[in-house]
Amino acid sequence: MPAQPPFTKLVAILPATVPFTGPETLERRSGIPFTLRLGANESAWGPSPRAVAAMCQAAAQVNWYGDPENYELRAALAAKHDVGLANVVIGSGIDDLLGWIVRAFIEPGEVVVASLGAYPTVAFHVDGFGGRLVRVPYRAGDDHNDLPALAAAAREHHAKLVYLANPDNPTGTWHSAEAVRAFVDDLPPGCLFILDEAYIEFAPPSTAPQIDIADPRVLRARTFSKAYGMAGARIGYLLGAAEIIAAFEKIRLHFGVNRVAQIGALAALEDTDFLAQVVAGTAAGREEYAALATSLGLRALPSATNFVAIDVGSERRASQLVAELARRGVFIRMPGAPPISRCIRVTVGLPDQREAFAAIFRDVWGE
Ligand SMILES: Cc1ncc(COP(=O)(O)O)c(C=O)c1O
């Protein structure tokens, strides 16, 4: 065979990475279908019926490209957040947006700081663009992101970016708005803070900090994947200073957000009653999971998200549980690094799904 052209230096040294092994892959590998899909923090409530109706209608016109400026959705989001149009940019989910940020700011060898075991797409993009990820362990004792240690690492390594999900995945824990604000002030000059608020709708109202939209130290990421129940539509957005948002115009794929998702997200945003129902239902489900854990002599970490991490004592036991539950048709996940890898992470399902999970989990734990 003739040789292919050489890969770029960057791609040649990249490990073959799969940040997430999807439930479909696991089913194909094991031959066992999942009857309970509680591992990817998808919303069990689905999208708003208004969003579904809008998307069905839009599907008939999917021969048209979407509006490359995402104008109507951006305008609605700008109004919701009381910011200018120039402060909002839409992408195909936070996963896509994280890639833009790393691409825009990180030269090969430059440092990004994140928690050890934090949301893995960050590491995926940092590796992919030749950056260096410095990882800071979660706080011992209460499994929260260690804000002073993250800021100290940013100072020590002259980090250009620091990433924090608040509320956090995979622990579900969260810091108050005041703590996050203080963290911003603690960062070294020239360090941009990526505040991933994928789960913010589930958190107590005081969790999202007030940050001046013109403050060039902070970029906030939001998504329609979680509380809005539209993970498969792939749509999310960034809020930030106009100069930073303008830079993404140079690198974003202008037709990268699909038309059906744009229209669906706009309808979802308008259905505030549905969102409130999802948030209330999720809170009830979290309490049920915590009570289930207690009844088995285990402890659930406090959560402000749509999932609960349950401390099962050791990484070995957590992986055994993930495997055994999979054998019984239950898809859950576990954090990837100590100390939080002694937990399993279970997405909040609908009441009947929670009941089914509780029965299987009790059985497996009893063994
Ligand atoms: C903290 C966090 N950020 C981002 C995402 C991905 O968001 P999106 O679906 O918008 O790419 C997830 C998904 O689980 C997440 O947990």
Side-chain angles (χ1 to χ4, degrees):
M1 278 290 189
Q4 69 194 31
F7 293 113
T8 63
K9 283 196 194 80
L10 199 55
V11 169
I13 59 166
L14 272 183
T17 313
V18 182
F20 298 102
T21 306
E24 294 82 1
T25 308
L26 298 173
E27 286 176 330
R28 280 190 291 272
R29 275 186 201 157
S30 68
I32 303 169
F34 288 124
T35 48
L36 285 175
R37 182 163 160 141
L38 303 173
N41 304 338
E42 297 151 328
S43 174
W45 282 263
S48 137
R50 281 163 65 175
V52 173
M55 288 191 282
C56 285
Q57 223 180 350
Q61 208 157 50
V62 82
N63 51 316
W64 287 5
Y65 291 101
D67 170 8
E69 293 183 14
N70 299 284
Y71 183 85
E72 283 187 46
L73 180 59
R74 268 172 63 224
L77 289 167
K80 172 180 159 74
H81 294 289
D82 198 17
V83 299
L85 256 190
N87 301 113
V88 187
V89 66
I90 317 275
S92 317
I94 295 179
D95 284 359
D96 183 33
L97 301 165
L98 291 172
W100 302 355
I101 303 170
V102 177
R103 181 173 169 205
F105 287 99
I106 296 298
E107 304 276 8
E110 287 184 332
V111 168
V112 180
V113 167
S115 292
L116 173 66
Y119 185 61
T121 309
V122 181
F124 170 78
H125 287 306
V126 174
D127 289 347
F129 289 106
R132 186 162 71 85
L133 189 64
V134 169
R135 299 164 205 257
V136 173
Y138 279 81
R139 201 160 66 187
D142 71 355
D143 303 301
H144 280 55
N145 282 290
D146 191 338
L147 300 185
L150 285 163
R155 284 192 297 273
E156 183 189 339
H157 296 278
H158 308 288
K160 237 169 154 186
L161 298 174
V162 58
Y163 170 87
L164 173 79
N166 196 56
D168 181 62
N169 179 15
T171 63
T173 61
W174 71 104
H175 283 288
S176 68
E178 299 76 61
V180 176
R181 265 235 58 96
F183 178 64
V184 176
D185 293 332
D186 208 15
L187 291 174
C191 178
L192 178 67
F193 172 32
I194 310 169
L195 175 56
D196 180 340
E197 297 183 317
Y199 299 96
I200 197 69
E201 292 84 3
F202 299 112
S206 59
T207 310
Q210 288 288 333
I211 292 173
D212 185 342
I213 194 68
D215 189 333
R217 297 173 301 173
V218 184
L219 259 183
R220 309 173 89 129
R222 300 270 179 114
T223 184
F224 286 91
S225 294
K226 305 299 174 184
Y228 291 99
M230 292 178 55
R234 311 304 306 126
I235 186 158
Y237 58 101
L238 291 175
L239 297 169
E243 309 76 64
I244 299 182
I245 297 295
F248 297 129
E249 289 300 320
K250 298 188 200 170
I251 58 176
R252 75 184 179 91
L253 209 50
H254 285 248
F255 292 105
V257 179
N258 83 72
R259 181 183 175 84
V260 175
Q262 286 174 344
I263 292 169
L266 188 58
L269 211 52
E270 286 162 3
D271 198 348
T272 48
D273 287 349
F274 177 78
L275 183 70
Q277 280 168 34
V278 171
V279 168
T282 304
R286 286 192 310 244
E287 279 174 30
E288 249 180 65
Y289 282 169
L292 170 67
T294 309
S295 74
L296 295 172
L298 300 169
R299 192 181 67 91
L301 271 53
S303 169
T305 64
N306 67 346
F307 60 87
V308 173
I310 300 175
D311 183 346
V312 297
S314 72
E315 183 172 319
R316 199 169 138 263
R317 194 171 293 174
S319 18
Q320 284 168 346
L321 283 166
V322 171
E324 184 50 34
L325 286 166
R327 273 191 284 278
R328 299 189 188 209
V330 181
F331 169 53
I332 62 159
R333 282 199 171 117
M334 61 179 279
I340 51 174
S341 50
R342 64 181 203 290
C343 298
I344 55 168
R345 194 197 68 184
V346 191
T347 306
V348 173
L350 296 175
D352 60 324
Q353 296 169 325
R354 302 195 302 254
E355 206 179 305
F357 171 75
I360 299 172
F361 186 55
R362 276 180 197 290
D363 200 34
V364 170
W365 185 253
E367 287 174 5

